Amino acid sequence: MMRAARLVVARARPAARRAYTAPLKDMRFALEEVHDFEKHYATLLPDRDDVNAETLQMIMGEAAKFCENELAPLDSIGDEAGCTHVDEQTVKTPPGYKEAYDQFVEGGWQGLVFPEQYGGQGLPYSYGIVQSDMMCCANWTWNMYPGLSKGAINTIYSHGTDELKDAYLPKLVEGAWTGTMCLTEPQCGSDLAQVTTKAEPLDDGSYAITGTKIFISCGEHDLTDNIVHCVLARLPGAPAGTKGISLFLVPKNLPDDAGEAGEWNTTRIGRIEDKMGCHGSSTCEINFDQSKGWLIGEANKGLNHMFTFINTSRLGTAMQGVAAAEASFQNALPYARDRLAMRALDRGNADRTPDAAADPIIAHPDVRRMLLTQKAVSEGGR
């Protein structure tokens, strides 16, 4: 009772707005002074007139506005409100998440670096890394929804048939649909040799997928009307271990004749996890119940193909580390300037406040060391 009362009181308070300022100066230094990106792209893409400093500065400026004004204010809201498991087909995201996602899609942000053939802008992949730097730091859990989709796009584009690409990539690149990776099962985490989800061949060339996947990030939500799952499963008679795993595309809703989300594909949500620090992102248990799927790539090469997705996620995880360092620095710096404690040893320190009861802790050498370490980690990681 007491815990519930405290929770109600906490949620009744006005939501905290976590301040975030895109570190554009630091990012430009890394791009221009460290990496000399214009020379790099002039060599890599000599025929692309739009790959230049002007284009990148415009993208950075607009991304900064979106992250500072739309995503960062939702970060605390996402952590406090979290996601809500309504039923086996429905999970609600925190207030404001869908509205921000709609703006993201309208701005064409998801297709920034993906092929023009499928509706993208075809810009260099590193442009997307610059974008992700800001989005990760402003609101990591919101960023996971479009972030997982990047892995799905890369995987389908690299290993899918032309039919699968034409049916799914335009919607994913647009951001109208999102994607997930479904590996872990109740009996196996990283030891995927134990995967038992089954894929039974059907007469039309598709497969019936049956099994349970757990800890599936963004496995269900209300941001889009369809979700495309990349699922590891075993074909009948497949070899034991990792050499007998195949990869399948399993949509939440089967596309209709017009290519829109149609009939539900019996992808049942059993629960969502209470994941510390990740309440705004739905971490789901998905029960595939004779769900229709299509083979991606070669049979029994599923783990090989899934590494395209995994490597995309590794880039995202690295960016998460940079974002955490940047966010911690941005929040620690004003605190160190405001918090008063004792007198600094250096009487000539410009941060001292002789007329106050004590000096701000930024005036103390070891606090300054910690702040500079934070900044070095952030800039070095970038």
Side-chain angles (χ1 to χ4, degrees):
M1 288 288 291
M2 290 296 294
R3 181 180 181 276
R6 286 196 298 269
L7 184 60
V8 170
V9 170
R11 291 185 176 179
R13 297 190 189 113
R17 292 172 61 92
R18 181 173 70 78
Y20 168 71
T21 302
L24 295 178
K25 182 179 178 181
D26 293 343
M27 295 169 72
R28 290 189 185 110
F29 175 79
L31 289 164
E32 297 169 7
E33 303 298 329
V34 177
H35 299 297
D36 194 4
F37 84 99
E38 282 207 276
K39 181 180 179 181
H40 168 71
Y41 287 127
T43 303
L44 187 67
L45 302 166
D47 299 328
R48 290 293 298 269
D49 295 334
D50 57 340
V51 180
N52 52 44
E54 182 180 359
T55 301
L56 184 56
Q57 297 301 331
M58 179 184 69
I59 290 170
M60 291 171 64
E62 292 303 312
K65 292 177 186 176
F66 178 66
C67 292
E68 293 171 356
N69 300 327
E70 307 300 333
L71 295 189
L74 295 175
D75 190 51
S76 296
I77 295 172
D79 187 59
E80 293 171 4
C83 295
T84 304
H85 181 204
V86 179
D87 56 43
E88 63 181 9
Q89 298 185 52
T90 312
V91 171
K92 291 185 177 180
T93 54
Y97 270 45
K98 178 168 175 52
E99 291 76 10
Y101 188 82
D102 289 344
Q103 290 186 45
F104 175 81
V105 173
E106 184 179 354
W109 288 107
Q110 185 69 304
L112 189 69
V113 302
F114 294 113
E116 295 176 86
Q117 176 185 358
Y118 299 107
Q121 299 177 48
L123 291 169
Y125 202 83
S126 50
Y127 276 44
I129 298 296
V130 172
Q131 171 200 17
S132 294
D133 185 336
M134 291 180 265
M135 288 172 50
C136 288
C137 193
N139 190 329
W140 170 252
T141 61
W142 182 94
N143 179 71
M144 290 178 68
Y145 294 97
L148 268 294
S149 300
K150 294 177 181 179
I153 292 168
N154 288 338
T155 302
I156 297 167
Y157 181 76
S158 298
H159 307 293
T161 63
D162 289 340
E163 290 78 13
L164 285 181
K165 293 177 186 178
D166 292 340
Y168 290 93
L169 285 184
K171 290 288 190 180
L172 286 166
V173 169
E174 179 190 355
W177 296 352
T178 59
T180 75
M181 58 190 304
C182 298
L183 291 77
T184 304
E185 298 182 4
Q187 77 285 353
C188 66
S190 57
D191 184 8
L192 295 172
Q194 299 184 54
V195 163
T196 59
T197 297
K198 298 178 180 179
E200 297 287 342
L202 300 175
D203 292 340
D204 63 359
S206 64
Y207 298 81
I209 310 299
T210 302
T212 296
K213 299 290 184 177
I214 62 172
F215 305 143
I216 307 306
S217 298
C218 310
E220 179 56 55
H221 55 76
D222 56 1
L223 304 185
T224 63
D225 61 7
N226 209 0
I227 303 170
V228 180
H229 303 292
C230 295
V231 183
L232 291 181
R234 291 186 184 278
L235 290 165
T242 58
K243 293 183 178 180
I245 298 174
S246 298
L247 178 61
F248 298 87
L249 184 156
V250 185
K252 172 189 173 181
N253 298 306
L254 297 169
D256 60 20
D257 293 340
E260 303 297 328
E263 179 185 356
W264 181 46
N265 197 22
T266 58
T267 56
R268 307 179 189 278
I269 305 304
R271 59 172 289 168
I272 60 173
E273 305 296 334
D274 183 9
K275 194 173 182 180
M276 186 174 68
C278 205
H279 297 149
S281 172
S282 55
T283 306
C284 300
E285 173 191 282
I286 306 180
N287 299 300
F288 296 95
D289 183 8
Q290 295 286 301
S291 307
K292 200 165 190 175
W294 287 265
L295 184 67
I296 298 176
E298 298 181 44
N300 301 325
K301 295 288 186 181
L303 194 55
N304 304 58
H305 302 327
M306 186 62 100
F307 264 96
T308 299
F309 205 136
I310 293 169
N311 286 336
T312 303
S313 296
R314 284 171 170 167
L315 286 173
T317 302
M319 189 54 63
Q320 183 185 17
V322 174
E326 177 66 34
S328 67
F329 174 71
Q330 288 199 19
N331 283 273
L333 184 59
Y335 178 83
R337 287 172 172 160
D338 294 340
R339 177 71 174 180
L340 303 180
M342 299 178 288
R343 289 295 180 189
L345 296 175
D346 181 3
R347 298 296 180 179
N349 191 305
D351 290 310
R352 291 186 70 243
T353 53
D355 297 332
D359 291 329
I361 62 173
I362 195 172
H364 297 292
D366 201 48
V367 172
R368 298 175 76 88
R369 177 192 62 77
M370 289 187 283
L371 289 169
L372 288 169
T373 299
Q374 287 180 290
K375 187 168 179 58
V377 170
S378 173
E379 291 194 27
R382 186 174 291 117

